[in-house]
């Protein structure tokens, strides 16, 4: 097991990554929480509870009170948060209660937000069960829900007491979810860690076969990168934005396909390919390095076909810009292991990058 420290101005906590954590949660949480909480709640979703609920509960002298969120982005809403808060009140929750979010990124975001606002804030613990949630969404304190008008429009920063990323739970994760989550690790490598890129190139088969040692290394390194960035820029006023490599066009793809055709990580995979093209044009990365990274992305695919056109993507990317005061921030790779945020990426450059990406997507589809 590896322990990664998160140090931000508003919180200090550990992320534990390794095997066998699920069966020993209660004593671990008790050590961290200090005074034992009067009531422990677990927010999860029915499929995850069916697979892992017994193991999860096994270390608790009294089983935590289970609250359920159905699987799917459409339940990541204020309505769900209100219903869950009312269920907590009915079950006797108070300010000394503890909430554990046990699930993928959706459960984590909703659970974190519920904990942030329930009685003006109660402590919570993240026990992420998807690869994406383990390496990305459970760390950093961003919580929230969607509105009909857009994703993650309501939320708050609320850090967990601790994060327990148990790799064993990934044993039941569908292959496609694993591959999509690994795109965020490739992203972490490109922006901050050349050695992680090399490791993912060399150990692809072991990683995709879920070899515990290889997986632990990728998970822990990805978390370390996120923790370091968040530690220096908790509220995303600058540096934290580099975690959005591939997300300008990635979000545009998700929006243009109504969040149905691709998983988030897959859209980010295509978005990184576009960003690498833009970087190659600006000569901040060599053709050889860009090609190496594009190959790596495809080797952790297959990335689904893209049934959108460049104009539609640019329009969607424009709404991203609207949300940040008219400034378009774009993450530009600088070789392998470094990146910066630029504000002067033009529509023409973005269009060119989107077209190059779509051409690749068409070529991949006819192969
Ligand atoms: N807060 C942040 O910083 C942050 C960062 C990135 C993404 N997110 C959010 O995360 C969400 C996406 O998270 P996600 O990719 O984990 O999706 P998810 O939570 O929808 O989980 C994906 C699917 O896998 C299932 N599942 C989860 N764990 C499983 C397991 N161990 N075995 C079998 N099935 C399992 C779930 O039931 C679900 O159907 C989005 O809402 C996104 O906005 C938040
Ligand atoms: Zn992402």
């Amino acid at each position: 097991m590896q322990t990664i420290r998160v140090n931000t101005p508003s919180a200090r906590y550990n992320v534990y990554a390794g095997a066998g954590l699920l069966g020993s949660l209660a004593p671990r949480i008790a050590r961290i929480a200090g005074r034992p909480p009067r009531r422990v709640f677990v927010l999860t979703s029915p499929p995850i509870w069916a697979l892992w609920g017994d193991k999860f509960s096994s270390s608790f002298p009294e089983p935590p009170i289970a609250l359920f969120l159905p699987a799917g982005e459409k339940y990541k809403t204020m309505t769900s948060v209100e219903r869950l808060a009312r269920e907590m009140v009915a079950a006797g929750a108070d300010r000394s209660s503890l909430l554990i979010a046990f699930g993928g990124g959706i459960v984590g975001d909703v659970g974190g937000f519920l904990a942030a606002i329930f009685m003006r804030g109660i402590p919570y613990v993240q026990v992420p069960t998807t690869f994406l949630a383990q390496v990305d969404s459970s760390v950093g304190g961003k919580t929230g829900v969607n509105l009909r008008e857009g994703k993650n429009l309501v939320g708050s920063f609320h850090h967990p007491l601790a994060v327990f990323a148990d790799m064993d739970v990934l044993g039941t994760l569908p292959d496609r979810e694993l591959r999509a989550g690994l795109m965020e690790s490739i992203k972490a490598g490109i922006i901050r860690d050349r050695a992680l890129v090399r490791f993912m190139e060399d150990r692809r088969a072991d990683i995709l076969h879920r070899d515990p040692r290889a997986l632990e290394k990728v998970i822990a390194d990805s978390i370390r990168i996120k923790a370091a960035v968040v530690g220096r820029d908790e509220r995303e006023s600058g540096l934290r934005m580099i975690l959005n490599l591939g997300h300008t066009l990635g979000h545009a793809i998700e929006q243009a396909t109504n969040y149905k055709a691709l998983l988030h990580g897959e859209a980010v995979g295509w978005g990184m390919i576009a960003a690498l093209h833009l970087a190659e044009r600006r000569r901040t990365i060599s053709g050889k390095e860009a090609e190496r990274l594009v190959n790596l992305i495809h080797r952790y695919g297959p990335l689904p076909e893209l049934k959108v056109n460049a104009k539609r993507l640019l329009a969607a990317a424009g709404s991203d810009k609207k949300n940040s005061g008219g400034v378009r921030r774009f993450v530009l790779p600088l070789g392998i292991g470094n990146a910066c945020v630029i504000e002067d990426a033009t529509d023409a450059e973005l269009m060119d990058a989107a077209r190059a990406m779509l051409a690749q997507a068409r070529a991949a589809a006819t192969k």
Side-chain angles (χ1 to χ4, degrees):
M1 185 190 75
Q2 301 198 33
T3 305
I4 301 120
R5 187 87 181 139
V6 183
N7 271 327
T8 75
S10 66
R12 287 156 178 258
Y13 55 99
N14 286 340
V15 181
Y16 304 91
L21 291 166
L22 207 56
S24 56
L25 281 179
R28 289 178 188 279
I29 292 173
R31 265 198 303 275
I32 295 160
R35 182 166 58 90
R38 278 212 305 158
R39 279 202 169 72
V40 180
F41 291 82
V42 53
L43 175 67
T44 187
S45 71
I48 294 160
W49 199 243
L51 289 166
W52 295 101
D54 286 348
K55 185 86 185 178
F56 178 97
S57 304
S58 63
S59 65
F60 290 88
E62 241 184 85
I65 302 164
L67 305 165
F68 292 98
L69 185 70
E73 196 74 44
K74 72 169 188 236
Y75 296 103
K76 189 176 154 181
T77 60
M78 294 291 278
T79 310
S80 296
V81 171
E82 182 176 2
R83 175 194 41 94
L84 293 165
R86 294 184 64 195
E87 284 180 27
M88 285 176 70
V89 174
D94 61 19
R95 290 173 64 187
S96 74
S97 299
L98 174 81
L99 179 69
I100 306 173
F102 179 46
I106 295 182
V107 166
D109 278 11
V110 171
F113 187 51
L114 176 61
I117 62 174
F118 186 79
M119 297 195 175
R120 299 196 183 81
I122 60 168
Y124 79 112
V125 167
Q126 291 275 18
V127 184
T129 64
T130 61
F131 190 89
L132 179 122
Q134 296 195 349
V135 300
D136 191 353
S137 61
S138 65
V139 180
K142 274 193 189 176
T143 75
V145 296
N146 306 328
L147 296 180
R148 210 166 295 155
E149 288 72 14
K151 274 197 61 170
N152 301 321
L153 289 182
V154 175
S156 120
F157 284 95
H158 187 48
H159 290 279
L161 288 181
V163 181
F164 296 94
D166 185 341
M167 290 159 14
D168 295 344
V169 205
L170 301 179
T172 54
L173 190 69
D175 204 45
R176 188 177 166 196
E177 293 281 350
L178 175 68
R179 288 168 186 262
L182 280 159
M183 292 297 160
E184 300 282 7
S185 292
I186 295 178
K187 174 200 79 182
I190 297 176
I191 61 173
R192 273 290 176 269
D193 189 349
R194 205 180 164 87
L196 177 59
V197 168
R198 169 50 67 83
F199 185 81
M200 292 186 74
E201 287 175 332
D202 293 346
R203 303 288 299 276
R204 171 184 171 273
D206 293 330
I207 294 166
L208 289 176
H209 286 123
R210 308 176 195 211
D211 169 80
R213 285 222 191 128
L215 219 50
E216 181 178 299
K217 154 118 181 122
V218 176
I219 293 171
D221 283 2
S222 311
I223 294 171
R224 219 169 272 122
I225 292 161
K226 177 142 191 195
V229 171
V230 168
R232 286 174 54 193
D233 175 24
E234 184 178 24
R235 298 286 166 128
E236 199 169 75
S237 50
L239 181 71
R240 188 167 176 167
M241 282 167 204
I242 70 166
L243 295 169
N244 288 333
L245 170 66
H247 285 60
T248 303
L249 281 166
H251 285 150
I253 292 168
E254 289 185 282
Q255 215 184 312
T257 54
N258 296 320
Y259 299 91
K260 293 218 167 78
L262 288 92
L263 298 177
H264 172 72
E266 294 169 340
V268 170
W270 282 123
M272 289 193 289
I273 287 173
L276 287 164
H277 178 86
L278 202 155
E280 201 185 329
R281 282 289 163 94
R282 284 204 178 200
R283 299 184 190 281
T284 63
I285 192 168
S286 70
K288 212 166 142 202
E289 284 181 318
E291 192 186 334
R292 199 178 133 190
L293 294 172
V294 169
N295 280 339
L296 179 67
I297 294 165
H298 283 305
R299 287 176 68 218
Y300 280 87
L303 297 177
E305 251 183 275
L306 290 179
K307 290 189 179 142
V308 282
N309 64 48
K311 267 207 186 127
R312 176 85 206 271
L313 287 180
L314 234 61
S319 70
D320 227 31
K321 186 164 144 185
K322 209 173 60 202
N323 290 335
S324 41
V327 181
R328 170 183 293 134
R329 298 203 175 82
F330 189 89
V331 185
L332 190 70
L334 306 170
I336 302 178
N338 198 6
C340 69
V341 179
I342 55 170
E343 296 189 346
D344 63 351
T346 63
D347 281 354
E349 278 180 302
L350 228 61
M351 185 61 113
D352 175 52
R355 289 212 171 106
M357 171 191 81
L358 289 169
Q360 262 204 40
R362 273 193 304 276
T366 51
K367 240 198 240 160

